Amino acid sequence: EWLRDICERNGWEHKHSPIIWRELVDRGGKGLLLGGVNDFLEYAQHYYGITSPMLSEEMLAIAEENLQAHLETEKEEEEIKGLINPLQIWITSASAPTCYHLIPLLANGQVFGMTTEISIHLLDTKQFEEVLCGIVMEAEDMAFPLLRSIVKHSKMEEAFLEADVIIILDDILFKHEAPCLEECIRELSDVCQVYARLIEKNAKSGVRVIAAGKTFVNLKALMIRTYGPFIKPENIIALATIWESAAKAMLARKLNVNAAGVKDVIIWGNVTGWSYIDFSYARVYGFDSAIWGPPDFSRPLCNVIHNNCKFLSARSSVNSREYCGIGMSPAHAVATILRYWYQGSPTGEIVSVGILSEGQFCVPEGIIFSMPVRFHDGTWEVLTDLEINETTQEVLKLLSHDLIQEKLVALRKIREMSPYKDGKFTS
C-alpha cells in the first residue's frame, strides 16, 4: 500500500519492494526513481565507480537486523507514549470510602506496572463535591510518582472521556427494612442505562469495566452489558474477590495460618446475593502439622480439616449482602483483580470473577455468574477443566435460578421504559 502511494504521488512505475529514489530536496529538485537494489548498484557503479562486495544473502541479513532494531525502537517509543498518555481511570460514586482507600493502591505502581502513569477521574454528584475536593488535595499532597493527575467530575455528560478502566462503586441504598426488589432494580436500571450510553460514547473501544460494591454487583454488570451492546462483553466483570478473600481469612483463622496461605477458594453465583463458597480445590500452605515441606508445599484443605470439607461446604452457601466491607477490603479486592487483569494472576491459582456465562458448568447462558478463571496476557479464561461434584451442580442450578429471576425483573423494567413498543416508537 505504501509502495503504491509513493509511486502514484511521484508518477513512477515500480511494482516490487524495496524501492530506491534520489531527492535533492534542499535544491528543490524532483525525486528521481532509481528502482530496486540492482538498479541502485548500477547507478552507483556508473556515476561514482562504487559497487557492493556483499552478496544478496548478506544484504538480507542486514535488512533483517535493521528491521529488528526498528521494531525495538518503535517499542521504546510506545512505552514513552504510554508515559506521555497516562492510563485513564474513572471511579463512580467516588465519595465512597472504598475509593479513598483505592487511590494509593492504584498509584503506587504495583497494579499497572512501575512504568505506567495514570490519571484518576472521580465522578459523583454535586452534593459530594467537597468530599471529592478533599480526596484530590490529599492525593496530590502524597506526590505519587506515577499519578499524572487526579480530577473530580460532577457533570455526567463528560463522564468516562477516553477511559481505559471504569470502576463502578454505585450501590442501591435500601431505604426500607424489606425493600421492594422491583424498585431497587428500576433504580439500578436507570443508573446503568446512563452509564452504558456514556461508556459507548466517550470511553475507548477496549475499556475495561469492573462492577463492584455491596449490592447487585452481578446485575450491574449485566445491565451495563445490556444497555451497552458495543462494549466488549469480555471486558465487563463483576468483582468477587472481596468474598473470596473473606472466606480465605475465615479459614486461616480456624487453621491458625497466614490468610495468604489459603489458595483456590471458589465463589460461585451471585456475588452480592446468594453465593456458594466452594472448598473442593482449596489448598493450604504453611500449616503446622506432622507433615511438613518447603515453602511451596501445600495440602488439600479437606485433608487439613480432617475430612470435614463436606460440613464446611454445606454451610458455605451464604447471602453475601450480610457482609459489608468499610473500604479497605473492597479497595484491595479491586486493586488485586486489576493487577491480575493487566499483569496476569499467579501461576496455577484459581480466581473467582463474575462473567457473562456462555454455558460453562451447565450454567444458563446470558447471566453474569461468578466462576473460576485464570488471568493471562491481558485477558481471562474460564477453568472449564475443573470437575464439580453432584452437590455443587445442584447448588449451581439454584444460584442460576436466583440470577435468572433478577434478570427477568430487570428485562421487564427495560421493556416498560423502552420507547419502542408494538412496532412503534412512543414518547
Side-chain angles (χ1 to χ4, degrees):
E1 185 178 338
W2 172 83
L3 178 66
R4 187 186 67 245
D5 292 344
I6 289 293
C7 290
E8 287 180 357
R9 190 182 312 141
N10 292 279
W12 297 336
E13 290 186 8
H14 187 82
K15 298 181 179 179
H16 301 285
S17 186
I19 180 173
I20 303 170
W21 71 92
R22 182 185 182 200
E23 288 187 4
L24 301 176
V25 179
D26 57 335
R27 301 180 190 178
K30 186 180 178 182
L32 174 65
L33 173 66
L34 302 184
V37 174
N38 292 336
D39 300 310
F40 169 70
L41 292 177
E42 289 179 9
Y43 184 91
Q45 175 68 29
H46 177 73
Y47 283 94
Y48 303 104
I50 298 172
T51 188
S52 171
M54 289 189 296
L55 300 175
S56 297
E57 290 77 8
E58 292 176 297
M59 290 185 180
L60 289 172
I62 292 173
E64 180 64 26
E65 184 180 339
N66 289 343
L67 176 61
Q68 294 303 318
H70 174 69
L71 293 176
E72 290 177 7
T73 302
E74 281 192 330
K75 185 178 179 181
E76 290 177 3
E77 289 177 354
E78 285 298 321
E79 291 178 354
I80 293 172
K81 285 181 181 178
L83 294 175
I84 296 174
N85 300 313
L87 212 61
Q88 304 293 327
I89 303 169
W90 284 76
I91 306 173
T92 70
S93 288
S95 61
T98 298
C99 177
Y100 181 82
H101 293 284
L102 179 60
I103 290 172
L105 299 177
L106 297 178
N108 64 14
Q110 294 182 5
V111 173
F112 303 106
M114 299 305 295
T115 60
T116 303
E117 287 192 347
I118 64 173
S119 288
I120 297 178
H121 301 264
L122 308 178
L123 179 66
D124 215 322
T125 58
K126 283 189 176 182
Q127 71 179 99
F128 296 106
E129 192 165 358
E130 189 174 341
V131 176
L132 297 188
C133 284
I135 295 175
V136 169
M137 290 179 63
E138 194 165 348
E140 289 174 341
D141 290 345
M142 296 178 75
F144 292 105
L146 296 175
L147 181 59
R148 173 69 67 85
S149 63
I150 180 167
V151 187
K152 62 178 179 63
H153 300 269
S154 57
K155 294 181 180 178
M156 188 57 68
E157 61 271 15
E158 63 186 31
F160 313 132
L161 198 61
E162 294 298 309
D164 294 288
V165 176
I166 298 173
I167 303 164
I168 299 176
L169 299 180
D170 299 65
D171 274 319
I172 302 301
L173 301 178
F174 297 114
K175 300 172 184 177
H176 312 287
E177 290 185 4
C180 175
L181 179 63
E182 294 196 1
E183 289 180 7
C184 294
I185 289 179
R186 180 185 288 109
E187 185 178 344
L188 177 70
S189 183
D190 291 342
V191 173
C192 290
Q193 184 177 26
V194 174
Y195 283 172
R197 177 177 58 83
L198 290 170
I199 291 171
E200 287 190 327
K201 178 183 176 183
N202 295 339
K204 294 179 181 176
S205 59
V207 63
R208 302 179 183 187
V209 182
I210 296 180
K214 303 174 186 176
T215 58
F216 298 106
V217 169
N218 291 53
L219 193 57
K220 269 188 282 190
L222 181 63
M223 290 292 95
I224 294 291
R225 173 73 187 99
T226 303
Y227 285 120
F230 296 107
I231 305 171
K232 295 179 180 179
E234 66 272 18
N235 283 4
I236 305 173
I237 64 174
L239 187 71
T241 316
I242 181 172
W243 318 114
E244 185 181 306
S245 299
K248 291 176 180 178
M250 179 270 291
L251 288 170
R253 286 191 290 269
K254 289 180 177 292
L255 299 173
N256 195 27
V257 298
N258 189 322
V262 181
K263 308 288 187 183
D264 300 340
V265 172
I266 302 173
I267 307 295
W268 297 97
N270 194 350
V271 176
T272 48
W274 287 101
S275 58
Y276 179 66
I277 306 175
D278 187 357
F279 302 116
S280 302
Y281 287 88
R283 304 188 67 84
V284 181
Y285 293 77
F287 181 65
D288 189 7
S289 66
I291 302 175
W292 192 251
D296 60 349
F297 172 74
S298 66
R299 297 178 61 191
L301 175 67
C302 294
N303 294 350
V304 171
I305 59 176
H306 310 296
N307 296 321
N308 281 336
C309 197
K310 289 183 179 179
F311 170 75
L312 277 173
S313 293
R315 294 175 59 86
S316 58
S317 183
V318 298
N319 189 336
S320 301
R321 292 195 186 105
E322 296 171 0
Y323 177 81
C324 295
I326 60 173
M328 289 178 61
S329 182
H332 181 265
V334 172
T336 298
I337 213 68
L338 274 174
R339 185 175 77 249
Y340 291 168
W341 210 344
Y342 276 83
Q343 302 188 50
S345 54
T347 304
E349 287 191 22
I350 297 173
V351 182
S352 299
V353 170
I355 59 170
L356 187 66
S357 171
E358 296 180 351
Q360 302 95 332
F361 305 107
C362 297
V363 173
E365 296 182 20
I367 58 175
I368 298 291
F369 197 91
S370 180
M371 58 181 70
V373 305
R374 182 175 295 129
F375 286 89
H376 61 88
D377 299 328
T379 186
W380 48 262
E381 62 174 342
V382 180
L383 301 180
T384 52
D385 56 337
L386 295 183
E387 296 182 2
I388 57 176
N389 55 39
E390 293 182 3
T391 302
T392 302
Q393 288 178 347
E394 289 300 318
V395 173
L396 296 191
K397 288 180 182 179
L398 295 174
L399 298 177
S400 299
H401 178 75
D402 180 46
L403 283 166
I404 289 172
Q405 292 308 307
E406 276 192 3
K407 178 181 177 180
L408 290 175
V409 173
L411 291 177
R412 185 163 64 248
K413 293 303 167 188
I414 291 174
R415 285 194 294 269
E416 289 175 2
M417 295 183 292
S418 175
Y420 189 76
K421 293 182 180 179
D422 302 324
K424 298 181 180 179
F425 283 95
T426 60
S427 60

